[in-house]
Amino acid sequence: MFRKTISPLWLVFFLLPQLSSAEDLTTQKQSSEISEGSIEIEGDSLETLLDRKMKAKGNAILKKGNKTIKAEVIEYDEISEKIITSGITNIALENMSLRGSKLSLKLSDETGQMDDASFNFTPDKKQEKSSIRKGVVVTERSYDFRGDAKAIFFEGENKKRLQSARITTCEADSNDWYLKSSDMQVDSKTDSINASHAVVEFKGLPVLYTPYINFSLNKNRKSGFLSSTFGTTTKSGFDFQIPYYFNISPNMDATLTARYLGKRGPLADGEFRYLEENYSGRNHVQFMSHDESSGQDNRYSLSLKHRHKFGNGWSGYYDFQKVSDDNYFSDLATMITTTSVVNLPQRAGIDYSGDIWKLNFLTEKFQTLLTDSSRSPYQRLPQLKISAKKEYESFTLDLKSQWTYFDRDNKFTFQDDLGVTGSRFSITPSVTIPLTETYGFIKPKISTNIRSYNLNNLNGSTLSESKDIVTPIFSVDSGMYFDRSINLFNQKHTNTLEPRLFYVNIPYKNQSTLPLFDTGLSDLNMLTLFSENQFNGQDRINDANQLTAALTSKLIDSNGTERLSGVIAQRFYFEERKIFGSNINAKKTNSDLFLGAAAKFTNSLNIDGMIQYDPSDTKILRSTFASRYNPEPGKMLNLSYRMIDNIISGRDDLETINLAGQWPLGNRFYSIGRFNYDLKTSQPIEVLGGLEYDGGCWVARTVFDRLSLPTSPVPNYTLFMQIELNGLGAIGSDPNKLNYLLNRNVPGVRTVNEIPDVNRQANFN
């Protein structure tokens, strides 16, 4: 073996004999220490021509920096710094390797050509990012690319142009899909590819053509066309979208989408996002010039959101949402969180948060979409909140105050809605004296609620034009902690017992002449049992002379995992509650009985439940049971039951059963589904079913969704079909909408590419 090292400062010729294995290791180490500007040539034989050319034959190797070239014959011209090889040629770069029949390359400016080439690209795995989605840690993978080309032209450092090329992420023994292009440019510095007249072939069939496409090899953001998406719904027909992504800056981007709906016509969709150190926002606009299905012109949806930090505790925000007509969402949206929207907020505010004082100034209106049950909420024009909290060594002072002017849109009022408007001022100072020890606590609290009203538009009602009311409130919260060690199943556990008592005393105040601007009766549950006021809002404060008692017990293993827990709670009334009148049984001496339990039998199986039981009528008013089995990624079953027997309004009764999950079927197939059924009406609320196929370097998905709409008597049917080509993107339905649909219906679901490889391979057979 002969070796020659050429330095920019001097030329040294030397002859090396064949070395033993140990000497080879030492020599390789010395070679790696050669300066980056040096060139090292090796071969079975070396020839020099005219003192400027070096020719290595047989196992020829040329090294410069992080570049290594291997061929049968390498000829190097020191003056022009040009390399010519013959025979099979391999080039090893930092994250890319190339192989061709011959090579002509000028090292000084990285220009040249390789014929009949193949290549492999391995992105930097350190750039992979992990995020938490619905409680699941998900890693965005970078895929290894490989491909071939008729010729590769080197056009400068890190830049290569491929002629008649194709590229894929499939394994070497699989050619399931390729992206083919007559002209493809690769930038190794940015790990990006630009291709013109590109065709995606799947299983030998062309499935997509685009005159131009660019994408990143390592998930980096880059301006360009995103994968086109298509789908179908019963209300809009075929839905085809072509999005273009603008990577404006590292903290700012935009997406402009041309969308066509088969039954309605073209629609433009634009989104602009920005994120700075002190402010962030998202603006989303949709516009349809003419809806061929409904005959309406100029249909649009507008959403403008912004948050801003001014410094020194001050911040501001606005949230403005508006649509052109009441049926916009039910006609054009497919997500239940959108189709169920009835009130669109239009608000702006300023906040201040300090160590003691907090302030919020808000102005808020709503666009109410007209339905059979529409009732416009009160508008706050404006609202000012000021609060303060100061903790001293032995007591805590607290102050909450609010002034609001309430207005409303009268076109939504009903006969029982008098449309009263006006202002309300409320202030509640309080003092708490907490006494806390390791074994328990006691927290007495004294407060006073003061309200003042100035009303308009009474229209002969019994409400007072102006009214002042003062309500004193006294409460005591207390609890104790006990624990003991027990052996269960030959393992050490800690068993806790936590009793709690909460007493409230509020004198009765007649509030029948006061309006209900923003106030309603809260459900009695495990949380509201320990609140002073059962009403939410400021317009009503209940009278009370009551005690809530609760007992909680937990079983904790030696690792700190809570294996079993249970709680029982009930409220006891010492006086009749006058404020509720005949709405609920105010003569009861005790509330319903609340019981809850949770069990974690194994790390993969959780069960929990809650029951609200009326002992006087021996009737269960509310019950919830849920179980989750998740033995490994890609295997999950959720089963839940929910029942509400509303004692105030029977139309609000609820009884549903929900089954959702994901499970491998073998032979690379995965099932995904959800069945949400209303037992009261004997009708499905939402039904979702889907299949995923794991092709290794690609994934195929088909998902069907039937959704009952609260704004329409006719359900909406949606079919999602998608082929995801790993590393390139998805063809078919919108990935964002499909991922959102799956995560909302099956919490904790993982698509195939989010499942670890070891679990995926177990489903291949």
Side-chain angles (χ1 to χ4, degrees):
M1 169 73 71
F2 291 91
R3 174 179 299 154
K4 182 177 181 181
T5 302
I6 304 172
S7 172
L9 300 179
W10 64 83
L11 182 64
V12 180
F13 294 91
F14 56 91
L15 182 64
L16 294 177
Q18 291 187 347
L19 304 173
S20 66
S21 299
E23 290 172 329
D24 276 332
L25 292 174
T26 305
T27 304
Q28 290 175 6
K29 182 178 180 181
Q30 292 173 345
S31 298
S32 65
E33 295 173 353
I34 296 174
S35 64
E36 188 175 346
S38 300
I39 296 175
E40 181 182 355
I41 300 178
E42 300 179 11
D44 293 339
S45 65
L46 292 176
E47 298 179 8
T48 58
L49 304 172
L50 302 175
D51 293 335
R52 58 173 286 180
K53 290 187 177 181
M54 176 65 63
K55 191 172 186 179
K57 295 182 179 180
N59 299 313
I61 300 175
L62 183 144
K63 297 180 181 179
K64 182 181 180 182
N66 61 358
K67 186 188 286 91
T68 301
I69 301 174
K70 297 181 180 180
E72 286 299 315
V73 179
I74 298 178
E75 184 177 325
Y76 173 69
D77 189 322
E78 184 185 358
I79 303 301
S80 64
E81 296 190 48
K82 187 175 182 179
I83 299 172
I84 297 177
T85 72
S86 58
I88 300 300
T89 302
N90 294 278
I91 303 178
L93 305 175
E94 186 174 1
N95 57 359
M96 190 175 186
S97 62
L98 302 97
R99 180 183 177 90
S101 61
K102 59 181 179 178
L103 170 69
S104 174
L105 179 65
K106 190 174 182 181
L107 294 177
S108 58
D109 57 6
E110 298 284 347
T111 58
Q113 178 179 342
M114 174 180 275
D115 294 336
D116 301 322
S118 61
F119 57 88
N120 288 275
F121 179 86
T122 303
D124 185 1
K125 301 299 182 180
K126 295 179 181 179
Q127 296 185 10
E128 291 185 347
K129 299 178 181 179
S130 296
S131 59
I132 298 177
R133 183 185 306 166
K134 300 292 184 179
V136 176
V137 178
V138 177
T139 300
E140 292 188 7
R141 298 182 181 179
S142 296
Y143 296 94
D144 294 347
F145 285 81
R146 67 176 180 89
D148 51 52
K150 182 179 181 181
I152 296 180
F153 298 94
F154 300 87
E155 299 182 336
E157 185 178 7
N158 300 315
K159 293 184 178 180
K160 303 165 186 66
R161 182 167 57 86
L162 284 62
Q163 185 182 74
S164 301
R166 58 181 188 170
I167 189 172
T168 184
T169 57
C170 294
E171 298 290 338
D173 58 349
S174 172
N175 295 324
D176 285 352
W177 72 265
Y178 270 105
L179 171 69
K180 290 186 175 182
S181 172
S182 60
D183 186 76
M184 186 181 297
Q185 296 177 355
V186 180
D187 191 327
S188 301
K189 186 175 182 180
T190 60
D191 293 339
S192 60
I193 288 182
N194 298 325
S196 58
H197 300 291
V199 176
V200 176
E201 287 190 3
F202 180 72
K203 293 291 186 178
L205 298 176
V207 295
L208 178 67
Y209 167 80
T210 176
Y212 177 77
I213 187 174
N214 55 40
F215 58 94
S216 173
L217 297 172
N218 56 12
K219 298 292 186 180
N220 286 339
R221 290 166 41 191
K222 190 177 187 301
S223 296
F225 284 100
L226 304 177
S227 300
S228 301
T229 63
F230 57 84
T232 181
T233 65
T234 53
K235 290 208 168 191
S236 297
F238 182 72
D239 186 349
F240 180 68
Q241 301 181 44
I242 303 177
Y244 188 89
Y245 178 78
F246 298 88
N247 183 27
I248 302 172
S249 68
N251 51 4
M252 187 179 299
D253 65 9
T255 304
L256 183 63
T257 303
R259 183 178 176 189
Y260 182 80
L261 304 173
K263 293 183 179 180
R264 301 184 183 276
L267 179 147
D269 190 321
E271 182 183 58
F272 173 60
R273 303 184 303 175
Y274 51 92
L275 176 63
E276 294 285 352
E277 182 179 359
N278 293 321
Y279 61 88
S280 62
R282 175 183 177 273
N283 301 321
H284 188 202
V285 180
Q286 290 183 338
F287 179 76
M288 176 178 283
S289 177
H290 176 72
D291 187 338
E292 298 175 0
S293 177
S294 67
Q296 294 174 273
D297 292 330
N298 300 326
R299 302 191 78 180
Y300 65 86
S301 169
L302 180 65
S303 175
L304 308 176
K305 298 181 180 181
H306 178 85
R307 298 197 69 89
H308 205 117
K309 296 179 181 179
F310 301 114
N312 298 320
W314 290 91
S315 63
Y317 60 91
Y318 63 75
D319 181 359
F320 183 87
Q321 300 180 40
K322 185 176 176 61
V323 293
S324 56
D325 55 89
D326 296 334
N327 298 318
Y328 187 89
F329 290 136
S330 61
D331 286 348
L332 298 173
T334 57
M335 299 295 101
I336 190 171
T337 52
T338 305
T339 57
S340 60
V341 170
V342 174
N343 295 300
L344 297 176
Q346 300 170 359
R347 63 172 71 99
I350 296 176
D351 292 330
Y352 170 77
S353 180
D355 295 335
I356 298 176
W357 293 93
K358 288 181 172 57
L359 177 146
N360 169 256
F361 178 82
L362 169 70
T363 176
E364 179 182 59
K365 297 178 65 176
F366 293 92
Q367 180 188 4
T368 299
L369 307 184
L370 184 60
T371 66
D372 292 339
S373 58
S374 290
R375 173 171 177 166
S376 177
Y378 273 100
Q379 303 167 349
R380 305 167 192 265
L381 302 173
Q383 175 178 278
L384 177 64
K385 288 183 179 181
I386 299 177
S387 63
K389 186 174 183 179
K390 177 68 173 178
E391 295 183 359
Y392 294 92
E393 184 174 349
S394 57
F395 63 94
T396 300
L397 294 179
D398 199 349
L399 174 70
K400 293 182 175 65
S401 64
Q402 180 188 111
W403 180 87
T404 309
Y405 185 84
F406 293 96
D407 204 349
R408 75 180 315 165
D409 189 343
N410 289 326
K411 74 176 181 179
F412 294 105
T413 59
F414 294 85
Q415 292 182 354
D416 59 345
D417 185 353
L418 301 178
V420 177
T421 62
S423 65
R424 181 192 68 202
F425 172 75
S426 67
I427 183 170
T428 307
S430 66
V431 57
T432 304
I433 306 175
L435 303 172
T436 304
E437 297 292 343
T438 57
Y439 53 81
F441 67 92
I442 182 169
K443 297 179 181 179
K445 176 183 175 182
I446 300 175
S447 60
T448 302
N449 177 267
I450 304 170
R451 283 170 288 162
S452 179
Y453 290 82
N454 191 356
L455 305 179
N456 306 315
N457 301 324
L458 298 181
N459 299 324
S461 72
T462 58
L463 301 181
S464 300
E465 184 175 350
S466 61
K467 177 79 172 181
D468 298 330
I469 187 169
V470 179
T471 307
I473 303 171
F474 173 73
S475 66
V476 180
D477 194 6
S478 62
M480 299 190 72
Y481 311 114
F482 302 96
D483 64 79
R484 61 172 180 167
S485 296
I486 62 173
N487 287 321
L488 190 63
F489 304 115
N490 296 322
Q491 291 185 357
K492 185 178 179 180
H493 291 74
T494 300
N495 181 213
T496 68
L497 194 64
E498 304 170 22
R500 183 180 178 186
L501 296 174
F502 181 67
Y503 175 76
V504 181
N505 190 292
I506 304 174
Y508 169 73
K509 298 288 183 176
N510 186 0
Q511 301 160 74
S512 60
T513 59
L514 301 180
L516 290 172
F517 286 133
D518 61 356
T519 302
L521 185 64
S522 300
D523 286 333
L524 200 60
N525 52 48
M526 286 290 188
L527 294 178
T528 57
L529 275 173
F530 294 92
S531 61
E532 296 171 334
N533 187 18
Q534 197 171 329
F535 290 96
N536 54 44
Q538 296 290 321
D539 295 313
R540 294 290 186 273
I541 295 180
N542 57 247
D543 54 314
N545 183 13
Q546 61 197 32
L547 176 70
T548 299
L551 184 64
T552 302
S553 182
K554 300 176 183 177
L555 188 66
I556 305 170
D557 67 16
S558 57
N559 296 321
T561 302
E562 189 176 298
R563 293 298 179 182
L564 290 172
S565 66
V567 60
I568 181 171
Q570 191 172 26
R571 178 182 288 174
F572 301 92
Y573 304 105
F574 305 123
E575 294 181 5
E576 181 179 329
R577 295 156 292 152
K578 301 177 183 178
I579 188 67
F580 298 118
S582 59
N583 288 336
I584 64 175
N585 191 348
K587 297 183 182 294
K588 284 186 176 181
T589 58
N590 52 267
S591 72
D592 300 329
L593 187 65
F594 294 84
L595 303 98
K600 189 178 182 69
F601 296 113
T602 66
N603 292 332
S604 58
L605 177 61
N606 298 325
I607 298 176
D608 60 78
M610 190 279 295
I611 293 177
Q612 180 179 344
Y613 176 74
D614 184 354
S616 60
D617 291 340
T618 62
K619 183 179 182 181
I620 295 177
L621 299 180
R622 177 175 301 189
S623 60
T624 301
F625 297 96
S627 62
R628 176 185 175 90
Y629 180 59
N630 189 194
E632 63 183 52
K635 289 184 177 181
M636 180 185 59
L637 291 174
N638 296 329
L639 176 63
S640 63
Y641 168 81
R642 186 182 180 197
M643 185 275 288
I644 297 177
D645 188 352
N646 195 294
I647 60 176
I648 297 177
S649 173
R651 66 181 182 181
D652 295 328
D653 287 354
L654 176 71
E655 188 175 10
T656 62
I657 187 170
N658 184 74
L659 175 64
Q662 172 187 27
W663 204 263
L665 302 176
N667 295 321
R668 299 176 180 260
F669 281 96
Y670 288 84
S671 62
I672 300 175
R674 182 197 182 190
F675 182 71
N676 190 13
Y677 190 76
D678 189 339
L679 297 173
K680 287 286 186 182
T681 61
S682 299
Q683 292 182 349
I685 301 172
E686 185 165 12
V687 179
L688 179 143
L691 281 176
E692 281 190 303
Y693 180 80
D694 184 358
C697 60
W698 58 275
V699 180
R701 301 183 182 93
T702 301
V703 178
F704 170 82
D705 182 57
R706 178 197 183 276
L707 174 65
S708 297
L709 303 176
T711 54
S712 172
V714 181
N716 189 46
Y717 297 88
T718 307
L719 179 65
F720 296 86
M721 300 181 67
Q722 184 185 93
I723 297 176
E724 181 178 353
L725 307 178
N726 295 350
L728 182 64
I731 300 174
S733 301
D734 187 340
N736 293 327
K737 289 185 178 180
L738 181 54
N739 289 337
Y740 174 82
L741 178 77
L742 294 177
N743 280 281
R744 180 182 61 80
N745 281 279
V746 190
V749 67
R750 294 196 185 194
T751 59
V752 167
N753 285 330
E754 295 170 347
I755 298 174
D757 290 338
V758 63
N759 301 108
R760 291 176 62 177
Q761 292 171 3
N763 190 43
F764 282 1
N765 298 319

